[in-house]
Amino acid sequence: EVQLVDSGGGLVQPGGSLRLSCAASGFSFSDHYMDWVRQAPGKGLEWVGRIRKKANSYTTEYAASVKGRFTISRDDSKSSLYLQMESLKTEDTAVYYCTRASPNSRGHWYFDYWGRGTLVTVSS
Amino acid sequence: DIQMTQSPSSLSASVGDRVTFTCRASQGISSFLAWFQQKPGKVPKSLIYDASTLQSGVPSRFSGSGSGTDFTLTISSLQPEDIATYYCQHYHSYPLTIGGGTKVEIK
């Protein structure tokens, strides 16, 4: 059974930093792209960023709203995904979900599994 | 960036009704479109990818169609457990973007 367990959320002051983790199990983690998606309280879903697999040099993509402040990384030996968040703003307050992506027949990657989410609150 | 626009933003229907809602992309995305379901207070669940392929375990009353810029999600017979917000998302290019959602309620 595919499981994604997000952790690391909490209360942080504006300008502060936080590192989220996602522990994966039940599948070959190294074969998949992984993403972070967030949801502000009472709002819709927003894609945060993606990290590709080793065969694609672990390259990353980010939403404009977080580029330069957030960094996605992974440790395939631990089947773990990370989101390092710097210079946090109040508008970064959200539940953060890690998601697994799988490839379609044309090499585009779609989300198929979601973690339970971890709440990040940025407030003074 | 490709913008995803969903309509309506909310709808109310009776159990057993056929329900259809739409998602429009601001430019062509081929069939690189996914639909998600998020029940109140729950984690999103992936329903459909490639515009029309059901994820494993998704009931057959759900179906998706479309390509290019216009897409639809249909529930053939609305059930009480289908109360949720439904989101569309493209994965054609970066940045990936997600629509604002359609909230489905029981009349």
Side-chain angles (χ1 to χ4, degrees):
Chain A
E1 179 192 5
V2 172
Q3 288 198 10
L4 300 170
V5 179
D6 313 284
S7 63
L11 176 63
V12 60
Q13 292 188 338
S17 302
L18 203 61
R19 188 195 198 205
L20 306 184
S21 300
C22 172
S25 61
F27 65 100
S28 180
F29 180 77
S30 60
D31 288 339
H32 289 264
Y33 291 9
M34 298 295 295
D35 294 71
W36 288 97
V37 176
R38 69 184 180 182
Q39 185 170 36
K43 302 298 184 181
L45 301 169
E46 180 188 16
W47 175 74
V48 172
R50 165 170 285 177
I51 187 166
R52 298 180 178 87
K53 57 184 181 176
K54 182 178 180 180
N56 303 100
S57 303
Y58 298 128
T59 51
T60 53
E61 304 284 348
Y62 296 96
S65 58
V66 306
K67 194 170 186 178
R69 300 188 299 121
F70 290 10
T71 302
I72 299 174
S73 61
R74 62 191 293 167
D75 184 337
D76 290 347
S77 69
K78 296 181 179 179
S79 295
S80 291
L81 175 72
Y82 305 102
L83 179 65
Q84 179 68 41
M85 302 184 292
E86 308 281 352
S87 303
L88 282 161
K89 306 174 182 180
T90 55
E91 53 264 40
D92 294 319
T93 294
V95 174
Y96 285 73
Y97 299 101
C98 72
T99 66
R100 189 185 85 164
S102 291
N104 67 7
S105 60
R106 293 164 67 183
H108 288 244
W109 294 71
Y110 60 91
F111 304 159
D112 55 3
Y113 287 93
W114 297 66
R116 290 182 175 274
T118 186
L119 176 62
V120 173
T121 303
V122 184
S123 175
S124 55
Chain B
D1 297 1
I2 299 173
Q3 306 304 316
M4 306 301 293
T5 303
Q6 293 186 241
S7 60
S9 57
S10 66
L11 67 86
S12 182
S14 301
V15 172
D17 282 354
R18 181 182 181 88
V19 174
T20 297
F21 34 94
T22 66
C23 174
R24 176 164 290 174
S26 61
Q27 63 189 73
I29 58 169
S30 185
S31 59
F32 301 131
L33 184 102
W35 289 96
F36 312 126
Q37 174 194 61
Q38 187 176 33
K39 297 181 179 181
K42 301 297 185 182
V43 174
K45 174 186 175 182
S46 295
L47 290 181
I48 287 172
Y49 66 96
D50 289 351
S52 62
T53 304
L54 265 60
Q55 294 275 5
S56 175
V58 173
S60 59
R61 63 181 179 274
F62 290 93
S63 64
S65 65
S67 67
T69 59
D70 295 315
F71 302 86
T72 60
L73 177 65
T74 298
I75 307 173
S76 61
S77 177
L78 187 67
Q79 300 301 303
E81 59 266 33
D82 299 333
I83 298 313
T85 299
Y86 293 84
Y87 296 93
C88 64
Q89 175 242 337
H90 86 81
Y91 45 98
H92 173 273
S93 56
Y94 298 100
L96 309 183
T97 52
I98 303 172
T102 292
K103 186 175 183 179
V104 175
E105 298 173 322
I106 295 288
K107 192 180 294 182

